């Protein structure tokens, strides 16, 4: 039912840092889940409910053939900051995994290891190695079963490839252009903008000034940035 995640929808989190390198984890955020639900089933055809003080989340999708809501539920864990908000967000993301959104992340490499030459490090107050560098997915590919069979990650501070699944990493400058946003994604942007009181003319003008391209030709990275910007605006009264 749900499409696979694109590279710009996947985030990288530093899991452990050692003297000779660090490990990364792949994850999605709640905004990604909301965008894909809107895009696939429509903004008015899904809902989320929380119980047990946000520990559990129920994500329901309207089945027009059965004439009823179909629900899936899961439990989350607290984050280190904003515990209640983090708990609600994590339980929502886990419930969306039950629906299949982002489940392909579980098929990625068991260890994403970045050698120490691929980032800058320092010694923290506890005397252990740490880093301020950030990482993101450059490319991702899937086989016919939906399993990850291609993955490359860059250091956003240096724009260098630091991990390439199944290959010996050669540090290189990223010049690859992101793929264009899909027609469905553009429709999500327009519908979201309409709820915020933003006209299509305003969208066209904003994209030309911000990205130097027409709204219909924005890429995946610009789509995510634009949608996040619009969602931050208050709803039209």
């Amino acid at each position: 039912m749900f499409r696979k995640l694109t590279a710009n929808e996947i985030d990288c989190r530093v899991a452990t840092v050692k003297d000779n390198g660090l490990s990364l984890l792949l994850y999605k955020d709640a905004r990604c889940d909301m965008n894909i639900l809107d895009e696939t089933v429509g903004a008015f055809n899904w809902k989320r409910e929380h119980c047990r003080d946000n520990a559990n989340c129920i994500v329901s999708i309207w089945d027009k053939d059965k004439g009823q809501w179909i629900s899936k539920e899961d439990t989350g864990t607290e984050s280190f900051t904003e515990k209640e908000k983090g708990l609600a967000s994590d339980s929502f993301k886990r419930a969306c995994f039950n629906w299949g959104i982002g489940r392909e992340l579980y098929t990625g490499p068991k260890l994403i290891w970045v050698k120490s030459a691929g980032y800058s490090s320092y010694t923290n107050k506890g005397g252990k190695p740490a880093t301020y560098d950030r990482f993101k997915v450059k490319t991702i590919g899937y086989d016919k079963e939906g399993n990850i069979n291609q993955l490359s990650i860059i250091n956003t501070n240096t724009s260098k490839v630091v991990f390439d699944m199944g290959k010996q990493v050669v540090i290189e400058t990223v010049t690859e252009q992101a793929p264009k946003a899909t027609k469905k994604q553009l429709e999500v942007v327009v519908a979201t903008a309409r709820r915020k009181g933003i006209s299509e003319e305003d969208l066209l003008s904003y994209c030309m000034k911000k990205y130097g391209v027409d709204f219909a030709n924005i890429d995946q990275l610009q789509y995510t940035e634009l949608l996040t910007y619009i969602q931050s605006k208050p709803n039209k009264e």
Side-chain angles (χ1 to χ4, degrees):
M1 178 185 294
F2 296 99
R3 63 170 174 78
K4 300 292 185 289
L5 300 183
T6 58
N8 60 297
E9 291 173 321
I10 302 171
D11 294 317
C12 298
R13 177 184 298 140
V14 175
T16 59
V17 183
K18 297 184 177 181
D19 291 330
N20 63 335
L22 59 79
S23 62
L24 298 173
L25 296 175
L26 301 180
Y27 70 101
K28 59 184 173 79
D29 63 21
R31 184 178 285 111
C32 171
D33 289 315
M34 290 185 281
N35 290 343
I36 291 179
L37 283 165
D38 283 352
E39 173 188 324
T40 307
V41 304
F44 299 104
N45 293 315
W46 69 273
K47 63 179 180 178
R48 61 187 284 188
E49 302 166 277
H50 290 273
C51 56
R52 291 204 314 117
D53 295 326
N54 290 333
N56 278 39
C57 180
I58 304 168
V59 174
S60 305
I61 294 176
W62 179 253
D63 187 322
K64 62 180 180 180
D65 294 327
K66 293 184 175 66
Q68 65 183 44
W69 291 97
I70 307 300
S71 303
K72 296 192 178 184
E73 180 179 2
D74 211 327
T75 301
T77 57
E78 293 180 345
S79 59
F80 290 108
T81 59
E82 297 183 287
K83 290 187 177 182
E84 291 184 3
K85 181 180 178 181
L87 182 59
S89 177
D90 191 61
S91 60
F92 172 64
K93 289 184 290 184
R94 289 173 182 267
C96 288
F97 270 126
N98 278 271
W99 277 107
I101 302 177
R103 195 181 296 168
E104 61 273 14
L105 294 180
Y106 291 117
T107 70
K110 293 182 178 179
L111 177 64
I112 301 176
W113 183 256
V114 178
K115 296 179 180 179
S116 57
Y119 62 93
S120 299
S121 62
Y122 68 96
T123 302
N124 63 23
K125 293 181 179 179
K128 297 182 179 180
T131 184
Y132 287 119
D133 287 9
R134 295 293 180 265
F135 306 86
K136 72 176 182 180
V137 175
K138 175 193 174 187
T139 59
I140 191 165
Y142 305 98
D143 62 23
K144 61 182 180 180
E145 281 79 32
N147 300 315
I148 295 174
N149 63 2
Q150 179 188 1
L151 176 68
S152 63
I153 295 173
I154 65 171
N155 181 323
T156 60
N157 295 57
T158 63
S159 294
K160 307 293 184 180
V161 174
V162 295
F163 178 85
D164 201 353
M165 182 176 171
K167 298 180 180 180
Q168 180 67 34
V169 173
V170 177
I171 303 300
E172 60 184 64
T173 302
V174 177
T175 57
E176 183 173 310
Q177 186 175 0
K180 288 180 60 176
T182 66
K183 180 180 178 181
K184 188 67 175 180
Q185 288 173 329
L186 296 180
E187 291 174 353
V188 170
V189 172
V190 171
T192 305
R194 190 177 294 119
R195 294 199 298 272
K196 304 292 184 175
I198 301 173
S199 67
E200 291 188 41
E201 290 75 15
D202 291 334
L203 280 177
L204 296 175
S205 176
Y206 180 86
C207 289
M208 288 303 298
K209 291 180 180 179
K210 178 73 173 178
Y211 308 119
V213 298
D214 184 82
F215 170 66
N217 293 310
I218 61 174
D219 62 30
Q220 291 284 340
L221 295 175
Q222 293 162 345
Y223 156 75
T224 301
E225 182 182 65
L226 179 60
L227 187 58
T228 300
Y229 169 73
I230 293 173
Q231 289 173 331
S232 69
K233 299 297 182 181
N235 289 327
K236 181 180 179 182
E237 294 183 359

